Amino acid sequence: GAVVSQHPSRVICKSGTSVKIECRSLDFQATTMFWYRQFPKQSLMLMATSNEGSKATYEQGVEKDKFLINHASLTLSTLTVTSAHPEDSSFYICSARDGQENNSPLHFGNGTRLTVT
Amino acid sequence: GENVEQHPSTLSVQEGDSAVIKCTYSDSASNYFPWYKQELGKGPQLIIDIRSNVGEKKDQRIAVTLNKTAKHFSLHITETQPEDSAVYFCAASIGNTGNQFYFGTGTSLTVIP
């Protein structure tokens, strides 16, 4: 089945630094990837939709200059949290759909636990 | 836009009993309804899905039913086991590779041995 690989699984960084999270579709091409943020015991909050070869679409309230998204190929999207602050600590999850298949399921990575100290 | 509601938020059942989680949606254009299981510290994993052209789908101990008229769909887990304990999310989408999914708020299922 379709596999989405997300790396790293955990990262600890200091305030003011930037962190990059990678999301790869391993066995399918994903023209669209989605980035979510999840707070403890809460649902998935869509941050942005990442489109291959074009600018990402951000949800209302999500700062595009703080959460930089790059979708340079059909199998890779990256999320960079810039100038991280403790309030950015969260669980970030990417997902992707198979671009070759209509009505295809959404497949998730295993998430990245970000802790900003 | 689409609004997906999910109930209950928490559910405890004895091992071997059945568990039912219900979701409603608001947009009649939604035609694809997946269910995800999320274990602690991991990403959601697809467990079953249903499209609007069918009313029921079953995969071993898991089944999903869809009522398009009433705009609700349900997840049924029979003969529950402790390893079924997790958070379950329903979602709705309009079938198109670029369209986003709208998630329910999640149900924390605990299966008591």
Side-chain angles (χ1 to χ4, degrees):
Chain A
V3 177
V4 174
S5 175
Q6 187 172 341
H7 180 81
S9 58
R10 290 179 175 271
V11 59
I12 301 173
C13 70
K14 294 185 177 180
S15 290
T17 62
S18 295
V19 173
K20 180 185 283 187
I21 302 170
E22 290 189 350
C23 181
R24 294 180 184 274
S25 57
L26 296 187
D27 50 3
F28 65 98
Q29 294 183 334
T31 52
T32 303
M33 291 185 173
F34 303 93
W35 287 94
Y36 293 85
R37 183 173 180 175
Q38 188 177 34
F39 294 100
K41 297 186 178 181
Q42 292 193 23
S43 189
L44 302 155
M45 184 189 80
L46 181 66
M47 298 176 64
T49 302
S50 168
N51 300 297
E52 186 267 336
S54 63
K55 291 184 179 180
T57 302
Y58 290 82
E59 295 300 301
Q60 191 172 9
V62 178
E63 298 177 57
K64 62 179 182 180
D65 293 331
K66 180 164 187 62
F67 299 99
L68 299 178
I69 291 173
N70 184 284
H71 193 158
S73 77
L74 287 172
T75 59
L76 174 64
S77 176
T78 61
L79 168 67
T80 301
V81 183
T82 63
S83 187
H85 291 277
E87 55 265 32
D88 298 326
S89 298
S90 192
F91 193 53
Y92 294 88
I93 315 173
C94 71
S95 64
R97 292 179 90 167
D98 188 335
Q100 304 299 317
E101 183 181 342
N102 283 329
N103 292 329
S104 61
L106 193 63
H107 301 284
F108 286 87
N110 260 333
T112 297
R113 172 72 59 192
L114 171 63
T115 302
V116 184
T117 61
Chain B
E2 175 67 281
N3 180 43
V4 177
E5 295 190 355
Q6 183 173 346
H7 299 281
S9 57
T10 59
L11 178 60
S12 291
V13 299
Q14 292 289 333
E15 181 177 359
D17 288 350
S18 295
V20 180
I21 303 171
K22 299 181 179 181
C23 288
T24 61
Y25 62 99
S26 60
D27 191 341
S28 57
S30 290
N31 58 4
Y32 176 64
F33 308 93
W35 285 88
Y36 290 87
K37 175 183 181 182
Q38 186 177 26
E39 297 177 338
L40 192 63
K42 295 185 177 180
Q45 296 299 308
L46 178 70
I47 56 171
I48 196 167
D49 57 8
I50 191 168
R51 293 180 171 81
S52 60
N53 57 347
V54 298
E56 184 173 359
K57 184 177 178 180
K58 189 174 182 180
D59 182 5
Q60 299 182 340
R61 297 187 295 109
I62 296 173
V64 57
T65 59
L66 171 65
N67 183 324
K68 283 170 44 180
T69 303
K71 296 197 191 71
H72 65 72
F73 56 112
S74 301
L75 177 71
H76 304 252
I77 305 174
T78 59
E79 300 173 32
T80 53
Q81 301 168 3
E83 49 266 39
D84 294 329
S85 297
V87 178
Y88 292 80
F89 291 97
C90 64
S93 171
I94 300 172
N96 181 295
T97 55
N99 284 357
Q100 70 176 81
F101 283 62
Y102 297 87
F103 286 88
T105 49
T107 296
S108 179
L109 172 65
T110 301
V111 179
I112 304 166

